[in-house]
Amino acid sequence: MENSNRPKIANVYRGTFIHSTQKTALQILEDELLGVDTDGKIAFTGRGTELVRLSQTFGFSPTEVIQLAKHEFFMPGLVDTHIHACQYSYAGTALDMPLLQWLNTYTFPVESHFKDLQFAHKVYSQVVKRTLRNGTTTACYFATIHTDASLLLGKIANDFGQRAFVGKVCMDRNDSVKHYKETNQESQEETCRFIAELLNKKSHISENVEEVNLVKKMFPDSESYTDVYLKHNLLTDKTVMAHGCYLSDEELVLFRETGASLAHCPNSNISLCSGMLNVRNVLNHKVKLGLGTDVAGGYSASMLDAVRRALDTSKILTIQNPEYKTLSFEEVFRLATLGGSQALSLDDQTGNFEVGKDFDALRVNVAAPDSNVPLTIYFIFVSVASGLTGDDRNIAEVFVAGKKVVPFTEPTTE
């Protein structure tokens, strides 16, 4: 009777599981059992040899266990801590200018079109489906100044089953596209319609040198870029700042003390020639850190690409300074999963396969048709999980809170 209120077991999986913990950057569990209850939460984990005992304890039939194939494994869903959903339509193009000129020439003109809800629906549906196919179970989306379109993005993400933070942009300055801005009053009124999503504050900081100098000119009384946010009470444990390439040690201390997070977007940083984040220094300061694709400054909506580019950036820093300790692929894997959930303050809910967390997971098949992965050594598991050789062709299924969201079952929004 003591277990009468426990949710029933919906599915039990047996096979190889790969995830990160606080103490271990990458842990490989072979012949593991994992049970998911009807609420989509991980009810138990255990060794395959414990099947009989666990089936009796949790009330499931051993014959109903889903056995992974030899070349399959589960890994946690990928967490994209910074992506502009409104920029997806031109991802991979228009990367011939530095950040501020790029925004004025390409970004703001495109974003102004999202007042058209039909246009917004088409683009937002595409980006949610693309990121889910790439294994992004949680995304932190920037939208535009258009409240209705931003709310539509939230609805589309919900309909497709993706865990998402959606932020409406607030912008009262724009000299390049005159009609793509708000007055302060309009911004306040529209933000009131969007208050639930804006409880998780998201923005950019220290992305490139020109931007840093502009902020210094605009706010001469502030000690640093970070100090601007701090003085306006915008640096809290709900804040996620993208980039941070030029943050000083003093600013990183403020991040740690306030609980604010950083989203490392290496593809965008390199593509727009903005700079390179010293991830090792951020980790040494114990600042929460995740990875982001930063579409369309980053040309790929794949978090596996973000993993690769993070490793590349780390190696470039090592070339420049041989004493720099290059990031390992295990460390970057953790940034893409558990680190991202910590950055978004979701680590009590997702990020790895601990009991009680939601089952956000990717079922990876390294023997998928046309796969780019060699099948010669056990290292293939780590290789795919860390994004070194795998891609969306290897992602057979995607689960969010226990619900299979890929392959798609088209929602009513289509």
Side-chain angles (χ1 to χ4, degrees), residues 67-284:
Q67 177 71 53
L68 299 188
K70 179 181 178 181
H71 297 300
E72 289 185 316
F73 64 90
F74 270 116
M75 62 176 282
L78 297 165
V79 181
D80 191 339
T81 59
H82 185 73
I83 176 172
H84 294 262
C86 51
Q87 297 174 13
Y88 179 74
S89 62
Y90 61 97
T93 65
L95 293 174
D96 57 336
M97 296 180 177
L99 174 66
L100 299 187
Q101 293 89 328
W102 176 79
L103 289 171
N104 291 330
T105 304
Y106 301 117
T107 299
F108 295 147
V110 171
E111 290 188 4
S112 68
H113 290 298
F114 280 78
K115 184 177 181 180
D116 181 345
L117 292 182
Q118 186 174 358
F119 176 79
H121 186 280
K122 178 180 179 180
V123 175
Y124 287 156
S125 295
Q126 289 174 341
V127 68
V128 170
K129 292 173 73 173
R130 179 70 265 170
T131 53
L132 276 172
R133 285 195 196 99
N134 285 333
T136 300
T137 54
T138 300
C140 184
Y141 286 119
F142 270 70
T144 63
I145 68 172
H146 311 103
T147 302
D148 290 332
S150 302
L151 292 171
L152 177 61
L153 172 58
K155 182 180 186 303
I156 290 170
N158 182 70
D159 288 342
F160 278 105
Q162 187 175 56
R163 191 189 305 277
F165 290 95
V166 177
K168 173 197 169 295
V169 170
C170 297
M171 180 165 56
D172 64 354
R173 297 174 183 233
N174 192 337
D175 294 330
S176 61
V177 182
K178 300 292 185 182
H179 61 282
Y180 185 50
K181 61 183 177 182
E182 308 165 293
T183 66
N184 285 336
Q185 183 63 32
E186 289 171 336
S187 181
Q188 291 178 33
E189 291 175 353
E190 289 303 294
T191 297
C192 287
R193 291 209 288 137
F194 215 74
I195 190 65
E197 286 79 1
L198 286 185
L199 288 175
N200 293 277
K201 304 179 183 73
K202 297 169 285 288
S203 195
H204 304 63
I205 192 168
S206 292
E207 184 172 354
N208 76 352
V209 174
E210 187 179 5
E211 176 201 15
V212 173
N213 291 335
L214 178 61
V215 172
K216 186 180 297 184
K217 182 178 179 180
M218 292 173 62
F219 300 93
D221 295 331
S222 294
E223 296 180 8
S224 65
Y225 201 152
T226 301
D227 189 46
V228 175
Y229 286 104
L230 185 68
K231 285 181 176 178
H232 290 84
N233 300 315
L234 293 173
L235 209 62
T236 75
D237 60 359
K238 296 294 186 181
T239 304
V240 183
M241 292 290 189
H243 308 292
C245 299
Y246 300 96
L247 292 174
S248 65
D249 287 347
E250 292 75 16
E251 289 176 284
L252 289 173
V253 169
L254 290 176
F255 268 76
R256 184 183 68 242
E257 290 177 347
T258 58
S261 305
L262 276 175
H264 178 31
C265 307
N267 188 314
S268 172
N269 291 342
I270 295 172
S271 294
L272 295 176
C273 297
S274 296
M276 294 183 289
L277 178 66
N278 186 331
V279 170
R280 182 67 64 197
N281 194 39
V282 174
L283 295 177
N284 287 343

Side-chain angles (χ1 to χ4, degrees), residues 16 18 28 30 70-73 329 365-367 371-385 388-389:
T16 300
I18 298 177
I28 299 175
E30 297 183 82
K70 179 181 178 181
H71 297 300
E72 289 185 316
F73 64 90
F329 51 73
N365 177 11
V366 298
S371 173
N372 190 41
V373 180
L375 297 176
T376 55
I377 53 176
Y378 187 74
F379 182 76
I380 56 178
F381 288 122
V382 178
S383 182
V384 176
L388 299 181
T389 56

